[in-house]
Amino acid sequence: DRHGRGTRVRIRKVVAIIMVQVVLVVALLELGMRLTVPHVPGNYRTGLLYTRHPTLGWHHIPGAQAWLKTPEFAAHSRINSHGLRDIERPFLKPPNVQRVLVLGDSMAEATQVPLEEIFPRLLEQRLTGRAPAPRIDVINAGVVTYSTDQKLLYLREQGVHYEPDLVVLTFFANDVVGNSAA
């Protein structure tokens, strides 16, 4: 019985030493990673930009922002007060301004790149740069995985409030798959 108790004590000591070593190694690895690996601040899940919507299924959370990071990209996304990944714009169209409303899915939303590099912003820069044309606002209403039915519903419910002169529907073959008969 004495040998058994001594063996158990030695085993407990060895297990305790191993556990302390594991904790120290993990702590050193964590410290090393924090000191040497670049860290993009924020949260990396796109789900934090979206909320349930009674007719659209989901839509951006007005005012939400997050860092999005995958192995392919790291970018900051900010949603304006109307729930669009775009600069802040009033619904009421200013005088002498023409408006283009872009309806789309993730290709228009483009959370993978900075806001200044999404195609609706680039289109706006290109169109506005043509003198003597009036100022042209290109409004980005792209939302990830929206199908054509959701784009139409968005146009009817909210998009018309922007008073667009032209509506551009971006379309990819997968847009039809998610359409609802309702």
Side-chain angles (χ1 to χ4, degrees):
D1 188 37
R2 198 168 206 206
H3 276 83
R5 178 182 280 171
T7 303
R8 285 192 297 263
V9 170
R10 280 191 297 254
I11 291 173
R12 286 185 187 146
K13 285 182 182 179
V14 169
V15 168
I17 290 170
I18 291 172
M19 289 176 62
V20 167
Q21 289 175 337
V22 167
V23 168
L24 285 174
V25 167
V26 169
L28 287 172
L29 286 172
E30 176 71 20
L31 180 63
M33 294 291 282
R34 287 179 184 255
L35 293 175
T36 60
V37 175
H39 176 71
V40 178
N43 86 62
Y44 305 149
R45 294 175 295 153
T46 58
L48 297 175
L49 294 176
Y50 308 96
T51 188
R52 301 286 306 148
H53 189 279
T55 54
L56 300 172
W58 60 92
H59 197 65
H60 293 124
I61 300 169
Q65 58 179 315
W67 276 96
L68 308 174
K69 183 179 178 185
T70 72
E72 293 85 26
F73 71 90
H76 185 259
S77 279
R78 181 178 312 232
I79 307 303
N80 71 19
S81 65
H82 295 291
L84 300 180
R85 182 160 191 255
D86 198 354
I87 62 173
E88 200 64 47
R89 301 179 196 268
F91 280 129
L92 185 62
K93 184 168 54 174
N96 301 320
V97 171
Q98 292 182 347
R99 283 196 162 165
V100 176
L101 179 66
V102 176
L103 302 173
D105 59 6
S106 60
M107 298 301 282
E109 181 187 55
T111 57
Q112 303 85 348
V113 296
L115 184 62
E116 301 77 32
E117 296 178 21
I118 64 175
F119 89 83
R121 297 288 295 139
L122 296 173
L123 178 61
E124 179 176 294
Q125 291 169 9
R126 189 164 225 185
L127 292 174
T128 301
R130 295 177 49 193
R135 190 178 101 208
I136 300 174
D137 288 346
V138 180
I139 300 167
N140 179 26
V143 179
V144 68
T145 66
Y146 265 18
S147 296
T148 51
D149 58 348
Q150 290 163 297
K151 296 170 193 177
L152 176 61
L153 291 169
Y154 175 82
L155 175 63
R156 288 179 179 169
E157 291 180 7
Q158 298 174 36
V160 294
H161 297 296
Y162 284 105
E163 306 174 82
D165 297 291
L166 176 68
V167 176
V168 174
L169 172 68
T170 63
F171 181 83
F172 294 92
N174 67 340
D175 288 354
V176 178
V177 174
N179 283 344
S180 166

